[in-house]
PDB file of all heavy atoms in Angstrom:
ATOM      1  N   ILE A  50      14.888  -0.787 -12.760  1.00 95.00           N
ATOM      2  CA  ILE A  50      14.075  -1.598 -11.863  1.00 95.00           C
ATOM      3  C   ILE A  50      12.844  -0.819 -11.439  1.00 95.00           C
ATOM      4  O   ILE A  50      11.745  -1.359 -11.286  1.00 95.00           O
ATOM      5  CB  ILE A  50      14.881  -2.050 -10.671  1.00 95.00           C
ATOM      6  CG1 ILE A  50      16.036  -2.967 -11.111  1.00 95.00           C
ATOM      7  CG2 ILE A  50      14.024  -2.783  -9.637  1.00 95.00           C
ATOM      8  CD1 ILE A  50      17.030  -3.311 -10.017  1.00 95.00           C
ATOM      9  N   CYS A 118      11.611   2.279  -1.817  1.00 98.00           N
ATOM     10  CA  CYS A 118      12.743   3.179  -1.872  1.00 98.00           C
ATOM     11  C   CYS A 118      13.771   2.578  -2.823  1.00 98.00           C
ATOM     12  O   CYS A 118      14.664   1.816  -2.356  1.00 98.00           O
ATOM     13  CB  CYS A 118      13.338   3.396  -0.499  1.00 98.00           C
ATOM     14  SG  CYS A 118      12.139   4.107   0.709  1.00 98.00           S
ATOM     15  N   ASN A 119      13.668   2.889  -4.058  1.00 97.00           N
ATOM     16  CA  ASN A 119      14.419   2.194  -5.093  1.00 97.00           C
ATOM     17  C   ASN A 119      15.538   3.091  -5.681  1.00 97.00           C
ATOM     18  O   ASN A 119      16.356   2.600  -6.462  1.00 97.00           O
ATOM     19  CB  ASN A 119      13.451   1.769  -6.233  1.00 97.00           C
ATOM     20  CG  ASN A 119      14.191   1.277  -7.462  1.00 97.00           C
ATOM     21  OD1 ASN A 119      14.800   0.183  -7.460  1.00 97.00           O
ATOM     22  ND2 ASN A 119      14.167   2.067  -8.533  1.00 97.00           N
ATOM     23  N   GLN A 120      15.596   4.320  -5.254  1.00 96.00           N
ATOM     24  CA  GLN A 120      16.647   5.249  -5.799  1.00 96.00           C
ATOM     25  C   GLN A 120      18.031   4.676  -5.475  1.00 96.00           C
ATOM     26  O   GLN A 120      18.230   4.032  -4.430  1.00 96.00           O
ATOM     27  CB  GLN A 120      16.470   6.674  -5.299  1.00 96.00           C
ATOM     28  CG  GLN A 120      17.044   6.901  -3.907  1.00 96.00           C
ATOM     29  CD  GLN A 120      16.226   6.316  -2.770  1.00 96.00           C
ATOM     30  OE1 GLN A 120      15.099   5.926  -2.969  1.00 96.00           O
ATOM     31  NE2 GLN A 120      16.758   6.323  -1.579  1.00 96.00           N
ATOM     32  N   ALA A 172       9.517  -1.035   1.340  1.00 98.00           N
ATOM     33  CA  ALA A 172      10.518  -1.912   0.701  1.00 98.00           C
ATOM     34  C   ALA A 172      11.759  -1.052   0.326  1.00 98.00           C
ATOM     35  O   ALA A 172      11.608   0.023  -0.246  1.00 98.00           O
ATOM     36  CB  ALA A 172       9.954  -2.574  -0.547  1.00 98.00           C
ATOM     37  N   ILE A 173      12.916  -1.525   0.697  1.00 98.00           N
ATOM     38  CA  ILE A 173      14.169  -0.825   0.485  1.00 98.00           C
ATOM     39  C   ILE A 173      15.029  -1.605  -0.480  1.00 98.00           C
ATOM     40  O   ILE A 173      15.337  -2.754  -0.257  1.00 98.00           O
ATOM     41  CB  ILE A 173      14.910  -0.608   1.812  1.00 98.00           C
ATOM     42  CG1 ILE A 173      14.015   0.180   2.779  1.00 98.00           C
ATOM     43  CG2 ILE A 173      16.239   0.061   1.566  1.00 98.00           C
ATOM     44  CD1 ILE A 173      14.581   0.298   4.198  1.00 98.00           C
ATOM     45  N   MET A 174      15.389  -0.960  -1.530  1.00 97.00           N
ATOM     46  CA  MET A 174      16.260  -1.600  -2.575  1.00 97.00           C
ATOM     47  C   MET A 174      17.706  -1.525  -2.159  1.00 97.00           C
ATOM     48  O   MET A 174      18.301  -0.448  -2.118  1.00 97.00           O
ATOM     49  CB  MET A 174      16.052  -0.955  -3.929  1.00 97.00           C
ATOM     50  CG  MET A 174      16.699  -1.648  -5.085  1.00 97.00           C
ATOM     51  SD  MET A 174      16.020  -3.313  -5.445  1.00 97.00           S
ATOM     52  CE  MET A 174      14.348  -2.874  -6.031  1.00 97.00           C
ATOM     53  N   SER A 175      18.275  -2.699  -1.827  1.00 97.00           N
ATOM     54  CA  SER A 175      19.680  -2.727  -1.517  1.00 97.00           C
ATOM     55  C   SER A 175      20.455  -3.322  -2.747  1.00 97.00           C
ATOM     56  O   SER A 175      20.214  -2.902  -3.840  1.00 97.00           O
ATOM     57  CB  SER A 175      19.928  -3.566  -0.240  1.00 97.00           C
ATOM     58  OG  SER A 175      21.302  -3.565   0.123  1.00 97.00           O
ATOM     59  N   SER A 176      21.285  -4.249  -2.488  1.00 95.00           N
ATOM     60  CA  SER A 176      22.101  -4.869  -3.556  1.00 95.00           C
ATOM     61  C   SER A 176      22.827  -6.057  -2.906  1.00 95.00           C
ATOM     62  O   SER A 176      23.005  -6.131  -1.688  1.00 95.00           O
ATOM     63  CB  SER A 176      23.076  -3.843  -4.087  1.00 95.00           C
ATOM     64  OG  SER A 176      24.145  -4.497  -4.772  1.00 95.00           O
ATOM     65  N   GLN A 177      23.251  -6.977  -3.753  1.00 94.00           N
ATOM     66  CA  GLN A 177      24.089  -8.053  -3.227  1.00 94.00           C
ATOM     67  C   GLN A 177      25.400  -7.454  -2.671  1.00 94.00           C
ATOM     68  O   GLN A 177      26.037  -8.065  -1.843  1.00 94.00           O
ATOM     69  CB  GLN A 177      24.374  -9.129  -4.306  1.00 94.00           C
ATOM     70  CG  GLN A 177      23.095  -9.976  -4.559  1.00 94.00           C
ATOM     71  CD  GLN A 177      23.402 -11.083  -5.594  1.00 94.00           C
ATOM     72  OE1 GLN A 177      24.473 -11.212  -6.142  1.00 94.00           O
ATOM     73  NE2 GLN A 177      22.374 -11.884  -5.810  1.00 94.00           N
ATOM     74  N   ALA A 178      25.776  -6.246  -3.143  1.00 93.00           N
ATOM     75  CA  ALA A 178      26.898  -5.540  -2.543  1.00 93.00           C
ATOM     76  C   ALA A 178      26.554  -4.972  -1.179  1.00 93.00           C
ATOM     77  O   ALA A 178      27.452  -4.378  -0.527  1.00 93.00           O
ATOM     78  CB  ALA A 178      27.409  -4.458  -3.495  1.00 93.00           C
ATOM     79  N   GLY A 179      25.309  -5.103  -0.768  1.00 95.00           N
ATOM     80  CA  GLY A 179      24.897  -4.771   0.596  1.00 95.00           C
ATOM     81  C   GLY A 179      24.896  -6.014   1.505  1.00 95.00           C
ATOM     82  O   GLY A 179      24.502  -5.903   2.658  1.00 95.00           O
ATOM     83  N   GLN A 180      25.344  -7.152   0.937  1.00 95.00           N
ATOM     84  CA  GLN A 180      25.475  -8.375   1.746  1.00 95.00           C
ATOM     85  C   GLN A 180      26.875  -8.815   1.874  1.00 95.00           C
ATOM     86  O   GLN A 180      27.254  -9.482   2.805  1.00 95.00           O
ATOM     87  CB  GLN A 180      24.609  -9.474   1.106  1.00 95.00           C
ATOM     88  CG  GLN A 180      23.138  -9.206   1.138  1.00 95.00           C
ATOM     89  CD  GLN A 180      22.352 -10.266   0.293  1.00 95.00           C
ATOM     90  OE1 GLN A 180      22.507 -10.307  -0.916  1.00 95.00           O
ATOM     91  NE2 GLN A 180      21.551 -11.047   0.927  1.00 95.00           N
ATOM     92  N   TYR A 189      30.096   2.379  -2.115  1.00 95.00           N
ATOM     93  CA  TYR A 189      28.783   1.899  -2.489  1.00 95.00           C
ATOM     94  C   TYR A 189      28.308   0.823  -1.459  1.00 95.00           C
ATOM     95  O   TYR A 189      27.156   0.891  -0.972  1.00 95.00           O
ATOM     96  CB  TYR A 189      28.816   1.284  -3.870  1.00 95.00           C
ATOM     97  CG  TYR A 189      27.510   0.676  -4.338  1.00 95.00           C
ATOM     98  CD1 TYR A 189      26.425   1.554  -4.631  1.00 95.00           C
ATOM     99  CD2 TYR A 189      27.336  -0.677  -4.499  1.00 95.00           C
ATOM    100  CE1 TYR A 189      25.240   1.067  -5.095  1.00 95.00           C
ATOM    101  CE2 TYR A 189      26.137  -1.212  -4.979  1.00 95.00           C
ATOM    102  CZ  TYR A 189      25.065  -0.320  -5.260  1.00 95.00           C
ATOM    103  OH  TYR A 189      23.877  -0.856  -5.686  1.00 95.00           O
ATOM    104  N   SER A 190      29.167  -0.111  -1.137  1.00 96.00           N
ATOM    105  CA  SER A 190      28.810  -1.162  -0.172  1.00 96.00           C
ATOM    106  C   SER A 190      28.458  -0.502   1.168  1.00 96.00           C
ATOM    107  O   SER A 190      27.573  -0.946   1.872  1.00 96.00           O
ATOM    108  CB  SER A 190      29.882  -2.228   0.011  1.00 96.00           C
ATOM    109  OG  SER A 190      29.878  -3.104  -1.142  1.00 96.00           O
ATOM    110  N   SER A 192      27.144   2.334   1.750  1.00 97.00           N
ATOM    111  CA  SER A 192      25.835   2.942   1.703  1.00 97.00           C
ATOM    112  C   SER A 192      24.745   1.910   1.697  1.00 97.00           C
ATOM    113  O   SER A 192      23.658   2.090   2.217  1.00 97.00           O
ATOM    114  CB  SER A 192      25.703   3.854   0.440  1.00 97.00           C
ATOM    115  OG  SER A 192      25.659   3.056  -0.759  1.00 97.00           O
ATOM    116  N   LYS A 193      25.042   0.672   1.146  1.00 97.00           N
ATOM    117  CA  LYS A 193      24.003  -0.355   1.062  1.00 97.00           C
ATOM    118  C   LYS A 193      23.932  -1.209   2.341  1.00 97.00           C
ATOM    119  O   LYS A 193      22.882  -1.678   2.724  1.00 97.00           O
ATOM    120  CB  LYS A 193      24.259  -1.213  -0.205  1.00 97.00           C
ATOM    121  CG  LYS A 193      24.004  -0.507  -1.508  1.00 97.00           C
ATOM    122  CD  LYS A 193      22.580  -0.118  -1.678  1.00 97.00           C
ATOM    123  CE  LYS A 193      22.256   0.429  -3.061  1.00 97.00           C
ATOM    124  NZ  LYS A 193      20.833   0.763  -3.227  1.00 97.00           N
ATOM    125  N   PHE A 194      25.140  -1.511   2.903  1.00 97.00           N
ATOM    126  CA  PHE A 194      25.116  -2.227   4.182  1.00 97.00           C
ATOM    127  C   PHE A 194      24.364  -1.481   5.233  1.00 97.00           C
ATOM    128  O   PHE A 194      23.672  -2.052   6.061  1.00 97.00           O
ATOM    129  CB  PHE A 194      26.587  -2.442   4.645  1.00 97.00           C
ATOM    130  CG  PHE A 194      27.188  -3.770   4.241  1.00 97.00           C
ATOM    131  CD1 PHE A 194      27.777  -3.932   2.981  1.00 97.00           C
ATOM    132  CD2 PHE A 194      27.187  -4.871   5.100  1.00 97.00           C
ATOM    133  CE1 PHE A 194      28.342  -5.195   2.604  1.00 97.00           C
ATOM    134  CE2 PHE A 194      27.721  -6.036   4.761  1.00 97.00           C
ATOM    135  CZ  PHE A 194      28.314  -6.214   3.496  1.00 97.00           C
ATOM    136  N   ALA A 195      24.482  -0.167   5.270  1.00 97.00           N
ATOM    137  CA  ALA A 195      23.807   0.654   6.247  1.00 97.00           C
ATOM    138  C   ALA A 195      22.266   0.515   6.217  1.00 97.00           C
ATOM    139  O   ALA A 195      21.619   0.575   7.247  1.00 97.00           O
ATOM    140  CB  ALA A 195      24.192   2.140   6.108  1.00 97.00           C
ATOM    141  N   LEU A 196      21.771   0.285   4.994  1.00 98.00           N
ATOM    142  CA  LEU A 196      20.318   0.102   4.858  1.00 98.00           C
ATOM    143  C   LEU A 196      19.813  -1.085   5.638  1.00 98.00           C
ATOM    144  O   LEU A 196      18.666  -1.077   6.117  1.00 98.00           O
ATOM    145  CB  LEU A 196      19.954  -0.042   3.380  1.00 98.00           C
ATOM    146  CG  LEU A 196      20.197   1.189   2.468  1.00 98.00           C
ATOM    147  CD1 LEU A 196      19.977   0.822   1.076  1.00 98.00           C
ATOM    148  CD2 LEU A 196      19.300   2.298   2.887  1.00 98.00           C
ATOM    149  N   ARG A 197      20.626  -2.101   5.801  1.00 97.00           N
ATOM    150  CA  ARG A 197      20.207  -3.320   6.537  1.00 97.00           C
ATOM    151  C   ARG A 197      19.947  -2.945   8.020  1.00 97.00           C
ATOM    152  O   ARG A 197      18.919  -3.365   8.594  1.00 97.00           O
ATOM    153  CB  ARG A 197      21.287  -4.378   6.449  1.00 97.00           C
ATOM    154  CG  ARG A 197      21.079  -5.671   7.274  1.00 97.00           C
ATOM    155  CD  ARG A 197      20.002  -6.556   6.680  1.00 97.00           C
ATOM    156  NE  ARG A 197      19.960  -7.819   7.324  1.00 97.00           N
ATOM    157  CZ  ARG A 197      20.553  -8.956   6.875  1.00 97.00           C
ATOM    158  NH1 ARG A 197      21.203  -8.921   5.764  1.00 97.00           N
ATOM    159  NH2 ARG A 197      20.478 -10.059   7.572  1.00 97.00           N
ATOM    160  N   SER A 215      10.692  -4.606   4.028  1.00 98.00           N
ATOM    161  CA  SER A 215      11.384  -5.585   3.218  1.00 98.00           C
ATOM    162  C   SER A 215      12.713  -5.004   2.709  1.00 98.00           C
ATOM    163  O   SER A 215      12.783  -3.818   2.431  1.00 98.00           O
ATOM    164  CB  SER A 215      10.503  -5.967   1.984  1.00 98.00           C
ATOM    165  OG  SER A 215       9.335  -6.697   2.385  1.00 98.00           O
ATOM    166  N   MET A 216      13.694  -5.863   2.539  1.00 98.00           N
ATOM    167  CA  MET A 216      14.961  -5.564   1.916  1.00 98.00           C
ATOM    168  C   MET A 216      15.112  -6.343   0.632  1.00 98.00           C
ATOM    169  O   MET A 216      14.990  -7.574   0.672  1.00 98.00           O
ATOM    170  CB  MET A 216      16.129  -5.886   2.854  1.00 98.00           C
ATOM    171  CG  MET A 216      16.228  -4.972   4.067  1.00 98.00           C
ATOM    172  SD  MET A 216      16.923  -3.345   3.701  1.00 98.00           S
ATOM    173  CE  MET A 216      18.537  -3.733   3.165  1.00 98.00           C
ATOM    174  N   ILE A 217      15.368  -5.702  -0.450  1.00 98.00           N
ATOM    175  CA  ILE A 217      15.516  -6.379  -1.775  1.00 98.00           C
ATOM    176  C   ILE A 217      16.958  -6.376  -2.151  1.00 98.00           C
ATOM    177  O   ILE A 217      17.643  -5.312  -2.064  1.00 98.00           O
ATOM    178  CB  ILE A 217      14.656  -5.653  -2.838  1.00 98.00           C
ATOM    179  CG1 ILE A 217      13.206  -5.531  -2.378  1.00 98.00           C
ATOM    180  CG2 ILE A 217      14.790  -6.405  -4.159  1.00 98.00           C
ATOM    181  CD1 ILE A 217      12.427  -4.484  -3.145  1.00 98.00           C
ATOM    182  N   PHE A 218      17.512  -7.526  -2.556  1.00 97.00           N
ATOM    183  CA  PHE A 218      18.964  -7.658  -2.817  1.00 97.00           C
ATOM    184  C   PHE A 218      19.153  -8.185  -4.230  1.00 97.00           C
ATOM    185  O   PHE A 218      19.474  -9.383  -4.429  1.00 97.00           O
ATOM    186  CB  PHE A 218      19.605  -8.593  -1.827  1.00 97.00           C
ATOM    187  CG  PHE A 218      19.603  -8.085  -0.388  1.00 97.00           C
ATOM    188  CD1 PHE A 218      18.640  -8.482   0.520  1.00 97.00           C
ATOM    189  CD2 PHE A 218      20.551  -7.186  -0.018  1.00 97.00           C
ATOM    190  CE1 PHE A 218      18.699  -8.024   1.826  1.00 97.00           C
ATOM    191  CE2 PHE A 218      20.645  -6.694   1.314  1.00 97.00           C
ATOM    192  CZ  PHE A 218      19.671  -7.120   2.203  1.00 97.00           C
ATOM    193  N   PRO A 219      19.080  -7.323  -5.241  1.00 95.00           N
ATOM    194  CA  PRO A 219      19.312  -7.767  -6.609  1.00 95.00           C
ATOM    195  C   PRO A 219      20.808  -7.856  -6.960  1.00 95.00           C
ATOM    196  O   PRO A 219      21.623  -7.194  -6.347  1.00 95.00           O
ATOM    197  CB  PRO A 219      18.673  -6.656  -7.443  1.00 95.00           C
ATOM    198  CG  PRO A 219      18.844  -5.432  -6.636  1.00 95.00           C
ATOM    199  CD  PRO A 219      18.711  -5.878  -5.168  1.00 95.00           C
ATOM    200  N   PRO A 220      21.159  -8.744  -7.893  1.00 91.00           N
ATOM    201  CA  PRO A 220      22.541  -8.744  -8.417  1.00 91.00           C
ATOM    202  C   PRO A 220      22.666  -7.642  -9.470  1.00 91.00           C
ATOM    203  O   PRO A 220      21.759  -6.773  -9.593  1.00 91.00           O
ATOM    204  CB  PRO A 220      22.600 -10.147  -9.099  1.00 91.00           C
ATOM    205  CG  PRO A 220      21.184 -10.394  -9.584  1.00 91.00           C
ATOM    206  CD  PRO A 220      20.279  -9.723  -8.578  1.00 91.00           C
TER     207      PRO A 220
END
Side-chain angles (χ1 to χ4, degrees):
I50 296 172
C118 302
N119 171 70
Q120 81 285 347
I173 299 171
M174 188 66 68
S175 183
S176 162
Q177 287 183 357
Q180 294 171 294
Y189 179 69
S190 283
S192 72
K193 291 296 188 177
F194 265 85
L196 293 173
R197 174 74 171 262
S215 294
M216 289 285 296
I217 306 161
F218 294 99

